[in-house]
Structures are given as structure tokens and as C-alpha cells.
Amino acid sequence: MEYFLGIDIGTSRVKAVLFDSNFHAVASAAENTSPTLSPQGYAEQDMEQLWQSIVRTLREVADSPALQQGKLKAIGLAGQGEGVWLSDKNGNPVGPGILWSDTRSRALMEELLQSPDLDKALFDETGSQLQPCNTSLQLCWLKRNQPERLAAADYIFFAKDWIRFRLTQVAALELTDTSASLLNQSTGEISDFALQALGIDHLKTRFPPLLRPDAQAGSLSEAAALLCGLPPGTPVAAGALDVCSAALGCGAIHDGDIYTILGTTCCTGVVCHGRETVSSGTRFVTHTERGSFINLFPMQAGTPNIDWLQQHISLTPDLVALEKEIAAIPPGSGGVFWQPYLNGERAPFYSPTARAGFFGVDQHTSRAALQRAVFEGLAYAIVDSLTGYASEGDLYLTGGGAASATWLQIIADCTGRTVIASHFNELSARGAALLAARSVGALERYPAIEQTRYLPQPQAHAAYRALFPVFRLLREQLQPVWQARHQALQSLSQDNAQ
């Protein structure tokens, strides 16, 4: 039997999943990672610790009975996007990896926005507006604040590309990751305009060659094979940005397909053949499929809202017990709303000062209603992202949150769309494995995946349709309140420092 390995390098967790030739998972391993976060907006990852986590998960998969008896045909990778991962020519880290959630470049962004039409020009060229998560802006920040780090780096990578370099000793980037803020979307090359506009054109030689997601990027080196317990010489595909790999993994590959990843970012994507703008809150990335793009609405915080709920509000961290409690509450949670903006927001609107909170609580509000409101808040946020887009079309759901049947029904009822959830939820890893198979010519057709459909219930959808305008109005009216809160806290901090 031949097997394909998909590696998914998430923000807080890494996974390795082994698939057979029908792309059924036969073995997997995962390990949590420990990003370093600070109140000042720093979000970083110890690159060597990440590498060791990858090594341990690969060794666990290598010891599986399947690989003891079969052959590993190819390896593919998917990874968290944006950020800056610097290394020397041998792959040794130059400082910690900077994550997509890092916001230290916010002040620099505000400064650059004073330049007339710069933001629009960057969007027209790259498909992305200026945002702190952008690799291009983070590089600009490093140039100003840590130029010695840039000077010491031979390569600028994204997370999965650096891991692939450690596996193969072949340096390369690939199109989907690069397309988030650095790619000229018309030519498919690094954007000279973006680099020049941000004053980082001198860094162009630090970007390795660009590859398509399904290109062979190298093969597993002897040294990496010894560490990981996998066969040396195994082909390694270029791979893809995790949100693009998930789209492929769940089957969102046709024009107009919609999908949401219920993960750290709760990212909603609309597949389009051509750069068709869904709304002003969108950004474009290149799909894994030739000629296609994805309109992305990546929220700043998705499932961390559920994590917060389980840690601080729920009487039990058990998701099954939590689902039973919220299922007993009617749609709308008695008029209680949750604004799911734990760490600010970036899509479908940008507000670094936005914060989460309940609205509509009265003396009769129960704990269960508060809990349901958190799940509903994230469902409303998906509707918010798709405002202005055609109401037809199913919604593919993937990510860890897709394991909650109650939440999936809430999303179906809130959006009014049929929700399609795969029984297997590690779909970024599945997409990476499919790209690995394509890279060695071993994929004749896309295999079917077992799925469950959740149909919207008319009465529940009518309730959510009536309540959504309140959710939308609330976040619009709170903008000046969030800003005033931020300014007040800044003033207090300065007073305390004196």
C-alpha cells in the first residue's frame, strides 16, 4: 500500500496525518505548541521548538503499523500564513518566528495610511490592504526596529516553507502563502511595487524561488530522515497556506464555493475564478487550483472564544455537556449577543481596539443563554462576512470546531445555508496530502469524502434573520466606544508609569 503524509503547521498545534491511496486517514500525531504573546502586541514562536514538535509528530507517524508495512510515496505541508520566519543559509533561525497575529506594526500602518491612495494601490496589486498581520508590513517594521536581524538572515520564509527547508535543505516559497501580501496577483511574481512602496526592495534577494503548491520542492534529506524516522529521498511537495489547503481538503474548489474554517481564526472563504470582489472587507489569495482565487475573511479570533467560554463561564470544560446545555436554549439566546472580538478584528472590518463582550443581559439571563450566545456570535460573524454575497450556495465547514453538531446546526440556521461537514476534520492536512500526491502524479481524481449535511430550520433562521441587524448595528456603534476605552487605558498606563 502507498501512503501520503500531510503536515499541518498551525498557530498553536502541529499535526501529521498519514493517508492511504483513497485518502482515508490511517495514522496521526499532534502536539501543542507554545506561542509567546505579550500585551504590547508581540506574537512569536520559538522556531527550534516548533521544529522539534514536528520531528516528534513525524516519528510517531513513522512508527505506525501502516508505514511499517507500506511505502511513503510523498509528503505535503500546510501552514499558518503571514508572519516572518528568518533563517541563515543552513536553516538556523535568526530570532523567533513572527506570527500572523503580531500587531506591533500597527503604528507603522497608521503612518503609511497617511500616504494618499497607497492602501488602494497595494490592494489592486497584491489583493491585500495594509494590516499588521501582513508579512510585507512586518518586514517594514523589522527594517526600522531590528535591522540587524534582517541583515543576519539569508532567507525570508513562511512557517511551512522553513519547515520544508529543514526537511529537504532546498529553499523555496510557494504561491498561496506569498499571495497574502507579497505577490503581484497578475504576474504571479513577487511584487516590486509592494516592496518599493514599503521600502524593503533591498530584501528581494532574500526570498527563495517561488513554486506552485503541487510542485516537487525537494526530497527528504538523510539527516532529516534519520531524525524523523521516515525514508530518505521521499519527495516533498511545496504545499500551501493552511486556509487554501483546507479549501482543497474539504472540496471547496469550484467557482462560488463557500467554506469556513472553525479554527483559531474562524476564516471564511469564497472561491472565485478571477479576482471578483465580494465586499470591501475582503482580501484575495491564490487558490491551490490554477486560475482560481479565494476571497478571504479571516477573523482575528475564532475558537479562542469557545476556549474562553469553557475556561471562565462554563461549569464544565466538556464540550458534549456544554452542547446539551446550549441546545436547550431557543435560537437568539433571549436577546443576548456576544461580540466575538477577543483580540481586535481584521475581517470583515478592521479595528485593533475592538473587544468581546455580552449585550442584552438582564436579571433573567441564564448561564446557558450566555454560553449559547458565544456560539451564536461566531455564527453571526460568518453572516457578517458574507453580507452582500449571493444567498445561494452551501457552506463547507472544517476545523476543530466542526466536531460540534450543535454549533454546526446554529451556523446552518443563522446563515440560512446548508452546512456540509466532513466526518474527518483535519482537512488542511488532507489538502497537503492531496498536493503531495499531485506532485508525484499519483492523483487521477479527487476522492470523495464522507460528509454530513445540516439543513437550516425555517423558524430558527427567521429568528436569526430578525436579530442579525442588531448584531451588525451593535458592532458599528461600538467602534467609538472601543477607541475611547483604548485611549483611557493608555492614559492610565502612562499615569501609573510616572
Side-chain angles (χ1 to χ4, degrees), residues 234-482:
T234 303
V236 180
L241 171 63
D242 55 3
V243 296
C244 300
S245 187
L248 173 61
C250 75
I253 59 175
H254 306 103
D255 190 37
D257 282 349
I258 311 166
Y259 70 103
T260 295
I261 303 170
L262 299 178
T264 304
T265 61
C266 199
C267 179
T268 295
V270 180
V271 180
C272 53
H273 295 336
R275 294 173 57 186
E276 300 172 7
T277 303
V278 172
S279 79
S280 59
T282 192
R283 62 189 309 190
F284 290 96
V285 293
T286 302
H287 203 317
T288 59
E289 310 306 285
R290 289 180 182 269
S292 290
F293 298 86
I294 304 176
N295 287 269
L296 283 183
F297 301 89
M299 290 179 60
Q300 194 72 9
T303 51
N305 286 271
I306 308 301
D307 297 337
W308 176 86
L309 172 67
Q310 291 176 291
Q311 293 166 13
H312 301 291
I313 300 295
S314 176
L315 295 178
T316 172
D318 181 62
L319 184 60
V320 175
L322 181 59
E323 285 188 298
K324 288 182 180 178
E325 291 183 21
I326 67 175
I329 302 297
S333 301
V336 176
F337 294 86
W338 170 255
Q339 297 285 299
Y341 312 126
L342 288 172
N343 305 310
E345 190 51 281
R346 57 178 177 158
F349 67 98
Y350 175 75
S351 174
T353 61
R355 287 298 179 269
F358 289 107
F359 174 80
V361 177
D362 62 30
Q363 63 180 341
H364 303 294
T365 299
S366 66
R367 185 188 301 271
L370 294 176
Q371 293 174 158
R372 184 179 178 98
V374 173
F375 286 86
E376 290 178 339
L378 288 163
Y380 284 132
I382 296 172
V383 178
D384 201 7
S385 292
L386 293 173
T387 297
Y389 186 66
S391 59
E392 298 82 18
D394 298 335
L395 176 62
Y396 294 88
L397 288 182
T398 178
S404 169
T406 303
W407 193 12
L408 297 183
Q409 187 61 56
I410 288 173
I411 294 171
D413 293 339
C414 197
T415 62
R417 299 175 185 273
T418 297
V419 161
I420 302 174
S422 302
H423 294 183
F424 175 75
N425 286 321
E426 301 295 354
L427 295 178
S428 285
R430 185 174 188 265
L434 289 169
L435 291 171
R438 273 165 49 178
S439 76
V440 294
L443 187 69
E444 296 181 0
R445 58 179 178 80
Y446 289 127
I449 184 169
E450 193 173 1
Q451 297 169 322
T452 298
R453 291 174 174 260
Y454 295 81
L455 302 178
Q457 301 169 0
Q459 189 172 356
H461 177 55
Y464 287 127
R465 192 169 61 243
L467 290 168
F468 172 72
V470 181
F471 174 88
R472 176 66 178 260
L473 180 63
L474 182 60
R475 66 98 158 158
E476 291 171 346
Q477 296 297 316
L478 279 173
Q479 289 275 7
V481 179
W482 289 329

Side-chain angles (χ1 to χ4, degrees), residues 104-113 137 140-141 144:
R104 72 186 86 174
S105 62
R106 193 175 76 195
L108 174 58
M109 182 193 77
E110 298 297 336
E111 175 189 323
L112 291 169
L113 286 174
L137 191 60
C140 185
W141 186 93
R144 289 196 182 188

Side-chain angles (χ1 to χ4, degrees), residues 20-76:
D20 63 20
S21 56
N22 294 314
F23 291 89
H24 298 134
V26 296
S28 66
E31 184 170 312
N32 293 333
T33 59
S34 302
T36 301
L37 311 176
S38 81
Q40 292 74 36
Y42 285 46
E44 298 179 332
Q45 177 77 62
D46 184 305
M47 293 170 66
E48 280 297 341
Q49 285 184 1
L50 179 68
W51 168 244
Q52 292 303 324
S53 293
I54 294 290
V55 168
R56 285 190 289 271
T57 58
L58 293 181
R59 287 199 69 87
E60 187 173 339
V61 170
D63 290 337
S64 66
L67 276 190
Q68 296 301 313
Q69 302 172 13
K71 177 182 179 182
L72 180 59
K73 188 76 171 177
I75 300 169

